[in-house]
Amino acid sequence: MENHSKVRFENSYNSLPETFFKRVKPEKMPNVGLFLVNQKLSEKLNLDYSWLIKRDGIQFLSGQNLIKDSKPIALAYAGHQFGSFVPQLGDGRAILLGEVKDKKGNLKDIHLKGSGKTPFSRSGDGRATLGPVLREYIISEYMNSINIPTTRSLAAITTGEKVIREKILPGAILVRTASSHIRVGTFQYFAARQMTKEIKILSDYIIKRNFQSSLSSKNIYESFLMEIIKSQADLISKWMSVGFIHGVMNTDNTCLSGETIDYGPCAFMDAFDYNKVFSSIDYQGRYSYKNQPNVMLWNLTRFAETLLPLLDKNIDKSIKKAEEMLGEFATLYESSWISNMGRKLGIDTPKITDKNLIEEFLNLMQSNELDFNNSFYYLSFLVGNDKNEIETSSNNQKILSTIQSSDWYIKWKTRLNINKKNSQKILKILLINNPSIVPRNHIVEKVLNDAINENKKDTLNDFLNALNEPYKIRIFDDPYTKPPLPNEEVNQTFCGT
Ligand code: AMP
Ligand code: MG
């Protein structure tokens, strides 16, 4: 295929030693078709949108025709899955097609998920199905729209294959982008094999690509570890502040670029519950909402272990340094969490002393089973508004009356010191920190069902457009903002591989 002038591939990961990956070609699929394509993202990546949506572009996006500089590879990695170490996982159904420079000059991986078997497929078929591909597209793009670091979705492609799962399902490929696909598990792959030289090569690669600020530090690897700890503490506090539950925080699903990756059984909570779990295979609640910060610290500890040979020549000193840095996670996480949550309560500059106010609000939600997102969003209706002025329905009445009749409400108003002069400012803080919409699980499932089984793609496009305006002011009866009725609740999600 002719090398289109708009696609300039780089292959920086390819320049690493052969032990880092396997060269592999995407499999031929019977009949590829574009299901969704992300125009805005394609522009950011300097890709020619009008070309992408034509035959040649689709052939390129689906890996059916490789452009001149494309040297596709499947990446090697290991990982702790639900606490058990698997020394070799790797891209079993994914391929790194190449890297492109975005408009800001940053290198982004173009990565295909569901493009066929690789040497890492083990017993898997190398396929993905349309439902989970669209689910990842919807949720990752929403995360981006509310400024949570994430891999992005460039396109969803149908393959024309029938894929065998519990049912026969349509095959699909997700074209996703990331600032790099290096995971905690990538480091573990080499650490498990005592390949210290490769740990250094991998560290130098990712520092140059994603953590350049560490290059000027006295101890580059110490600074690198600290940057990783900071960015992951920040990421998890952001998840917590929107009620996001990742569902499968294995070390191979912790991306070191600080981006949320691998949207399998993830979901957003409706009624607040600290112990909420969605994943159908998470019997112990290991990856429940409240456990996410602890799990991340556990994953970071596994990461720090792999870096020990680089931190100091003396292993005891290395361990001490790593322990000290990991010891900072709790404080970093807490201050980021207070800042995010405090602003969701309308506080301009949240302080450590606001911790109780935040926790009391969460406890109020927990004991009254209040909807997480709406409870925060409705606070904006309580600033400068008297109860009678608020349009109510049975759905929101419970939230408003529970909040207004609580002790917490008085404490909140006292903390904000709401008056005529500052109410507009407070309102603004509330509205820019509380999205009016989240991709609720029952709506995601309905939209997917309509798009896949009923051939109604309009519902999907309408939902994607709404999610793309997360801070738009929405009235109470906007259907996307409504929690599920008891018979609509979808409390389990599946890895959907
Ligand atoms: P995940 O649960 O998607 O993070 O995947 C965990 C591991 O299983 C990774 O090594 C994947 O590449 C691999 N995997 C998941 N599904 C498949 C599949 N259908 N075929 C081959 N490998 C798979
Ligand atoms: Mg994964």
Side-chain angles (χ1 to χ4, degrees):
M1 186 189 197
E2 214 179 292
N3 191 0
H4 193 265
S5 60
K6 288 279 165 31
V7 188
R8 288 214 188 90
F9 261 160
E10 305 201 9
N11 298 290
S12 67
Y13 209 81
N14 251 283
S15 63
L16 299 175
E18 294 275 336
T19 42
F20 284 63
F21 52 79
K22 301 269 187 226
R23 294 187 194 283
V24 54
K25 290 217 161 70
E27 278 184 50
K28 291 282 176 220
M29 299 291 166
N31 184 19
V32 292
L34 205 49
F35 200 87
L36 282 177
V37 62
N38 190 334
Q39 182 171 3
K40 274 197 193 144
L41 180 59
S42 71
E43 285 159 4
K44 278 195 171 168
L45 296 170
N46 285 316
L47 298 171
D48 180 348
Y49 177 73
S50 61
W51 175 77
L52 274 188
I53 59 174
K54 290 202 196 95
R55 192 179 170 279
D56 276 1
I58 301 167
Q59 294 286 311
F60 155 74
L61 276 176
S62 57
Q64 301 298 289
N65 272 329
L66 299 177
I67 60 167
K68 204 176 98 223
D69 298 325
S70 184
K71 295 178 184 164
I73 50 177
L75 274 51
Y77 56 83
H80 274 93
Q81 299 194 307
F82 288 89
S84 312
F85 187 63
V86 184
Q88 179 167 308
L89 288 166
D91 284 335
R93 54 164 173 168
I95 280 179
L96 174 61
L97 203 56
E99 301 142 11
V100 291
K101 279 237 164 87
D102 70 6
K103 283 228 152 71
K104 290 185 180 155
N106 296 321
L107 211 53
K108 301 283 175 185
D109 284 357
I110 306 273
H111 192 258
L112 309 182
K113 187 167 171 179
S115 53
K117 281 192 191 172
T118 77
F120 300 115
S121 294
R122 295 173 292 161
S123 57
D125 61 2
R127 265 65 184 168
T129 57
L130 187 55
V133 162
L134 294 179
R135 181 171 244 281
E136 172 154 352
Y137 191 111
I138 295 169
I139 300 183
S140 64
E141 285 307 298
Y142 174 74
M143 292 292 258
N144 179 65
S145 76
I146 55 168
N147 303 315
I148 298 189
T150 176
T151 59
R152 302 282 311 267
S153 295
L154 178 61
I157 290 171
T158 48
T159 59
E161 276 194 328
K162 289 189 172 33
V163 175
I164 300 162
R165 294 290 180 263
E166 278 134 40
K167 287 193 249 171
I168 295 191
L169 297 167
I173 296 172
L174 179 75
V175 186
R176 79 172 173 203
T177 69
S179 299
S180 74
H181 274 88
I182 299 169
R183 306 135 193 270
V184 168
T186 319
F187 277 81
Q188 289 181 297
Y189 180 87
F190 296 109
R193 291 162 178 78
Q194 271 118 42
M195 291 166 78
T196 307
K197 197 175 92 210
E198 281 73 9
I199 298 268
K200 184 175 179 316
I201 294 171
L202 188 61
S203 303
D204 291 342
Y205 173 85
I206 190 173
I207 290 169
K208 189 164 163 234
R209 184 161 172 187
N210 299 138
F211 295 94
Q212 292 216 355
S213 63
S214 294
L215 284 169
S216 53
S217 295
K218 212 169 82 203
N219 186 329
I220 293 175
Y221 303 110
E222 243 178 85
S223 159
F224 167 51
L225 175 56
M226 205 57 233
E227 287 303 311
I228 299 267
I229 293 171
K230 271 191 217 155
S231 66
Q232 299 291 344
D234 226 44
L235 179 67
I236 303 300
S237 90
K238 286 184 171 144
W239 289 0
M240 300 300 273
S241 76
V242 293
F244 175 75
I245 301 167
H246 182 280
V248 59
M249 289 176 69
N250 294 334
T251 56
D252 52 304
N253 292 337
T254 298
C255 199
L256 292 177
S257 64
E259 292 165 318
T260 312
I261 192 169
D262 277 0
Y263 294 84
C266 65
F268 288 84
M269 277 198 280
D270 295 300
F272 180 73
D273 178 6
Y274 276 115
N275 295 311
K276 186 78 186 165
V277 173
F278 281 98
S279 168
S280 60
I281 53 169
D282 192 358
Y283 309 113
Q284 316 280 326
R286 181 181 171 94
Y287 300 141
S288 68
Y289 174 77
K290 76 162 187 232
N291 280 355
Q292 296 187 121
N294 291 335
V295 170
M296 182 47 78
L297 177 58
W298 193 88
N299 289 353
L300 288 168
T301 307
R302 305 288 79 76
F303 173 62
E305 285 164 2
T306 72
L307 274 196
L308 290 176
L310 304 188
L311 295 178
D312 202 288
K313 282 188 194 113
N314 177 316
I315 187 69
D316 294 329
K317 281 190 187 158
S318 284
I319 293 172
K320 195 159 172 282
K321 280 180 186 174
E323 280 174 351
E324 273 170 18
M325 285 189 265
L326 291 164
E328 288 187 46
F329 177 84
T331 319
L332 287 165
Y333 169 74
E334 187 173 88
S335 76
S336 176
W337 180 83
I338 287 172
S339 163
N340 290 328
M341 287 297 207
R343 290 181 66 76
K344 283 173 79 73
L345 296 181
I347 302 166
D348 187 19
T349 324
K351 300 191 174 67
I352 181 84
T353 44
D354 291 317
K355 190 177 168 190
N356 282 347
L357 192 70
I358 300 165
E359 281 180 345
E360 274 183 44
F361 189 56
L362 295 176
N363 293 341
L364 185 71
M365 283 196 260
Q366 170 93 46
S367 48
N368 294 280
E369 296 178 18
L370 299 186
D371 183 80
F372 181 85
N373 199 61
N374 286 354
S375 296
F376 276 105
Y377 184 62
Y378 289 4
L379 293 177
S380 57
F381 293 98
L382 295 172
V383 173
N385 258 329
D386 149 331
K387 191 178 176 183
N388 302 330
E389 288 173 43
I390 305 167
E391 193 193 334
T392 52
S393 73
S394 59
N395 240 334
N396 49 55
Q397 183 59 56
K398 183 180 167 195
I399 293 181
L400 292 167
S401 58
T402 307
I403 295 177
Q404 283 179 304
S405 61
S406 68
D407 293 347
W408 178 85
Y409 186 58
I410 299 160
K411 291 181 199 167
W412 178 61
K413 290 227 152 178
T414 310
R415 171 67 177 96
L416 289 182
N417 186 24
I418 301 170
N419 55 46
K420 276 217 168 72
K421 252 169 80 191
N422 68 10
S423 66
Q424 280 310 309
K425 188 179 168 200
I426 293 170
L427 191 58
K428 196 172 159 213
I429 299 170
L430 285 167
L431 289 173
I432 60 173
N433 288 287
N434 291 304
S436 56
I437 184 172
V438 285
R440 293 180 184 275
N441 217 16
H442 69 295
I443 302 181
V444 173
E445 293 289 319
K446 180 173 182 332
V447 164
L448 294 184
N449 183 52
D450 279 3
I452 300 166
N453 303 323
E454 311 282 331
N455 218 0
K456 282 195 262 175
K457 238 161 109 178
D458 289 355
T459 337
L460 172 61
N461 284 323
D462 191 60
F463 190 44
L464 284 170
N465 289 338
L467 291 172
N468 203 22
E469 292 183 300
Y471 299 104
K472 186 176 135 180
I473 295 180
R474 287 182 163 84
I475 47 167
F476 286 128
D477 57 5
D478 182 313
Y480 289 139
T481 68
K482 285 188 185 164
L485 297 170
N487 65 341
E488 293 174 324
E489 269 177 52
V490 180
N491 278 318
Q492 267 201 339
T493 48
F494 299 86
C495 282
T497 54

